[in-house]
Amino acid sequence: MINFQYLRTTTAKSAIALLVKDKNAKFLAGGTNLIDLMKRGVTAPEKLIDINHVPLKEIKQVGNKIHIGALASNTAVADHVLIKEKLPLLSWALQAGASAQLRNVATVGGNMMQRTRCGYFYDIEMPCNKRQSGTGCGAMEGFNRMHAIFGTSEQCIAVHPSDMCIALVALDAEVVLASTKGERKMLFKDFHRLAGDTPHLDNNLKADEMIIGLEIPINNLAKNYHYLKVRDRASYAFALVSVAAAFEIADNKIIDVRLAMGGVAHKPWRLTASELFLRGKEASLNNFEQAAQLAMKDAKGFGGNDFKLKLAPNTIIEALNLAKSKA
Amino acid sequence: MEKNMLKDENDRVDGFLKVTGKAKYFAEYELPGLTYGVLVTSTITKGKITSLDTKAAEKAPGVIAVISHLNKPSAAAYEQEGGPQMKIFYTDKIFYNGQPIAIVVANTFERATYAASLVKATYAKETFNTDFEKALKDPKAKKFQGQADYKRGEENAYKTAEVKLEERYFLPIETHNPMELHGIIADWRPNNQLTVYAKTQGVKATQGTIANVFKIPIENIQVNSEFVGGGFGMALRTWPLEIATVMASKHIGKPVKVVITRMQMFTMVGNRPAAIQTIGLGANKDGKLTGITHRAYGETSTYENFTEGVVNMAKFMYQCDNVNTSYVIIPVDLGVPIWMRGPGEATGAFALESAIDEMAHALDMDPLEFRIKNDPETDQQKNKPFSSKNIKEAYKIGADKIGWRNRKNKPGSLVEGPWQTGYGVSVGVFNANRGKASVKGILKADGSLLLQSATSDIGPGTGTGMTLIANKLMNIPVNKITFELGDSSLPPAPSQGGSATLSTVGSAVNDVCVALKSTIAELAANSNMDATANFVDVLKKNNLPQIEITKESQSGKEKDSYSMYSFSIHFVQVKVNSLTGVVKINKIVSVGDSGTIVSPKTARSQMVGGAVGGIGMALTEESIIDHRYGRYINNNFADYHVPVNADVPEIDVNFINKPDPYINPMGAKGMGEIALIGFSAAVANAVFNATGKRIRTLPITPDKILA
């Protein structure tokens, strides 16, 4: 048997202490991705540190920010009155992800840590630089319909699979991390990485760190927003392309705007240039179309995913239209 | 007691058992000393095993045996020359990626799973091809005739027609993926006595196959399969993995259970093969068809051929004097396919019914009118009248309910923001079969009736249908009738496939009931009772605890005089987002013309299930292979997209419900297949009507809409 040690702890401090003791230890939260990876032989941690009993489930407002504990379930966050009222974009994005059953056990921290769904990554008989360095990228010249069009590398064209994270990057969230040295904060946009020459790394979490929670500034984006996820079936499918869009509009003029895309890159893809273009402009179809075109600069298809070069700008336009028309 | 839960007479007789978890499926049987088998599979696509290192696996904790071609456990038929190429554990040849090459048996499933990962094979690899398109183009690829060429009138008459079209249609591999995983429990006892708990669509077929392989008398084998968690055709044969399990049990002298993984469901139990089809249609300007040519190519394996009825429909569905068809199968290095719901007819109907729609468009005719105009009065292929056919009535019901009057003949006419609305229609047709089956009826003085037959229920509600047939004839309440199935010791019946069970086994139920009634009437007369006396009183008066009659039933000469088919019409309304390419089915109306509806609730469920399967075929399902490796890339439920609730709108099911005068005593024709056949074309036709885009490659995913 591929044995592993199962440990359970009730404080973040002891969890971190257990983690640093063993290089091959992993935190177990909802387990909706980790257990699959273990079953498929993609990963084989020697220690599983069950952190489900660490009290990090709280969702609360502190000053002008919403704090979300790393172990709050996806369902708890999506359904929470604070999130629905103040950060509805996040609630929508969460509900677009996975299935109700998965959302009930999957946690915020786990959602951030989930690994790509690239088929080559999961099949240990196939080449994959992310799983095993130097074996090559199976998707590059293989089945890459689901794969990235932005920020790809020679090593890896996988996409980050989360919906929640697309909303979080748009909402300027911050991640609170803890280690034996204390706590630090990181901008959410800096949490995930591009594949580059290190496709085995999905994020910038250090080996001795634990995700404690999120802090999200309250904004004026709760009225005109939309999370549009285009997928192969209406539920329980990963995004071909998804767009998180939110505005603050006054007299049809865009005061603030947030745009981020999923299903297109190795990390949640914030559309900074498009936002910059739209800020101060009229919320018109023409401007939406121009913003969408701006977003596509440097996009590159790999054959199977060439359709995303058309789908992505279309989805941006449609998401902006729907955000604008939201009453 | 459970039966009292029935709210009305049409409820599924085993519904209570199923929803409370009391229905026992094969994998749930616990036998004393049960062991667990896990299959090791090939990681190359073609070649030979040069060595197989099983030492580490054999030494792993709990392992009882590792069985492979190295130790060839006894299987009499495999020890002889000839026979099938795929003799599991009797060949070192690899025919496809994922082929079982060894089975590890251990005292727990987890230990067997781990030990299986320790078996290391080395191979001599050969070049291979899993790409059907490539095989079709390759002049050196083997090609076999899958069905005799058919010609009526002039060949390729469409080419000289006033209005003509020729189009090519592609259908990818689909995998059945019933919820229940496949497998078997085999318990081989001394003196060659074998009991198996199987997931099968035919207990007699399983019994026969095992008897043939191991050369033991059929009577020595007991096959149990009372409940099946979905089959859709994949359990219509006994697969190598099942033979492997029986071998293992015989070898170690203990019962062995094998339940394969979801991933193995893609490589060990068949699929709906890919198909490439060309349809040529010719019509005169008035909209009369003058030529139909249907040429189909189907995928098969290199070690066994597989054929299905892809081009059947073209031969009789429309009035046309010039029809020719051909069907060629081409081997690729994949596991052998198997019939999947609606089998070849669903594949063929996608192409033919799309082409019919395309022709209507070319003629600027309403596709419904075009179909009605070309509806034949008799079967031109068999030159016989139809036993019953109410297709025009079905067209009318469906058209009214979907709101066909709101459809515009010009594509892309109904637009609201980015959403385009379209309507589509398609026909489904399948042989109305009736085979041979036996049923035993035991009428008891306690007022109950027990019926028994070795048929199966893979979900359509066989027991319910049979109970209702008996209920009607015998006037016995449904909760006093029990129908037993899924047991090879019961009177023989064919496998559940080809929409034939209700017709075949139901006829035997009918015959048994008629015989029981006449026996009761005789007994009543002999004991000076009124002819209308209750059977309980008659039995009691005659001091009989029960009477027992077994009847074998099959079709008679009516089969020679009539052409017998079940028909369906599917109407769909779709909305297509022109920006995102998303297709949403808004409304479905299906009309079944399959004779008498014996069991309205389960019949409706069949039609609903067929439509859901049809949505999958049309919009979401495709088994994707990386042809460089010959391996499936989406072999799991997250990536192989069966429709979910959010994809399925309300399905309005309607039946003509008029008895067929000839098919069988109930007047009921099968409907499992027609529920799905044609559905995918209705969607493709609706998408065209919405957008003006004709998608000839399934499934219709957003990328194809945007292309």
Side-chain angles (χ1 to χ4, degrees), chain A residues 1-2 40 120 123 125-127 138 141-143 145 230 232-237 240 307 310-311 314 318, chain B residues 43 110 114 263 418 577 579-580 582 620 624 626 628-629 631 633 637 641-642 644 646-647 701-703 706:
Chain A
M1 303 279 250
I2 305 174
R40 295 288 302 262
Y120 299 91
D123 184 347
E125 298 299 331
M126 298 270 210
E141 286 167 10
F143 176 74
R145 182 171 172 271
V230 181
D232 285 326
R233 65 180 164 192
S235 177
Y236 190 45
L240 294 167
F307 72 97
K310 187 169 176 188
L311 177 60
N314 281 1
E318 177 72 337
Chain B
T43 54
E110 290 77 10
Y114 173 63
M263 279 180 284
N577 190 302
L579 281 171
T580 61
V582 166
T620 60
I624 300 161
D626 185 324
R628 298 170 301 169
Y629 305 99
R631 287 176 77 81
I633 201 84
F637 262 171
H641 298 134
V642 296
V644 295
D647 296 299
T701 42
D703 47 321
L706 293 182

Side-chain angles (χ1 to χ4, degrees), chain A residues 59-130:
Chain A
I59 301 163
K60 62 185 178 194
Q61 182 169 348
V62 181
N64 200 30
K65 285 181 177 175
I66 305 287
H67 288 208
I68 301 173
L71 289 166
S73 75
N74 286 193
T75 300
V77 178
D79 290 353
H80 198 281
V81 64
L82 269 179
I83 307 299
K84 281 181 153 173
E85 277 177 16
K86 316 233 162 164
L87 303 169
L89 180 67
L90 176 60
S91 179
W92 276 47
L94 277 162
Q95 287 181 37
S99 64
Q101 293 92 330
L102 286 165
R103 293 195 297 269
N104 285 343
V105 285
T107 63
V108 165
N111 193 324
M112 289 164 61
M113 294 300 290
Q114 67 178 310
R115 311 217 59 191
T116 184
R117 304 291 163 155
C118 174
Y120 299 91
F121 178 68
Y122 280 79
D123 184 347
I124 58 169
E125 298 299 331
M126 298 270 210
C128 173
N129 288 325
K130 182 181 274 298

Side-chain angles (χ1 to χ4, degrees), chain B residues 614-672:
Chain B
I615 294 172
M617 188 176 182
L619 298 182
T620 60
E621 292 186 49
E622 176 177 13
S623 300
I624 300 161
I625 295 161
D626 185 324
H627 297 303
R628 298 170 301 169
Y629 305 99
R631 287 176 77 81
Y632 285 95
I633 201 84
N634 65 335
N635 51 0
N636 61 75
F637 262 171
D639 297 321
Y640 181 90
H641 298 134
V642 296
V644 295
N645 279 332
D647 296 299
V648 182
E650 192 192 328
I651 301 166
D652 183 350
V653 173
N654 304 267
F655 294 109
I656 299 293
N657 199 10
K658 286 183 183 163
D660 182 296
Y662 307 107
I663 178 85
N664 55 38
M666 298 80 66
K669 300 191 279 191
M671 42 151 311

Side-chain angles (χ1 to χ4, degrees), chain A residues 232-283:
Chain A
D232 285 326
R233 65 180 164 192
S235 177
Y236 190 45
F238 293 98
L240 294 167
V241 167
S242 67
V243 172
F247 299 120
E248 183 186 347
I249 312 181
D251 300 328
N252 205 36
K253 195 159 257 177
I254 300 168
I255 295 167
D256 191 8
V257 58
R258 306 293 173 81
L259 274 174
M261 244 194 298
V264 293
H266 196 263
K267 60 185 280 188
W269 199 246
R270 180 93 178 246
L271 308 179
T272 322
S274 306
E275 289 179 6
L276 203 64
F277 170 81
L278 286 171
R279 216 159 270 148
K281 291 208 173 62
E282 205 186 323

Side-chain angles (χ1 to χ4, degrees), chain B residues 283-320:
Chain B
N284 65 26
K285 283 181 181 153
D286 298 336
K288 280 278 190 189
L289 280 165
T290 58
I292 301 175
T293 297
H294 189 170
R295 296 192 188 282
Y297 299 90
E299 209 168 42
T300 186
S301 76
T302 58
Y303 57 92
E304 192 181 324
N305 278 346
F306 172 80
T307 64
E308 52 184 355
V310 181
V311 296
N312 289 354
M313 185 174 174
K315 298 171 192 172
F316 65 88
M317 193 62 220
Y318 294 103
Q319 184 75 31
C320 186

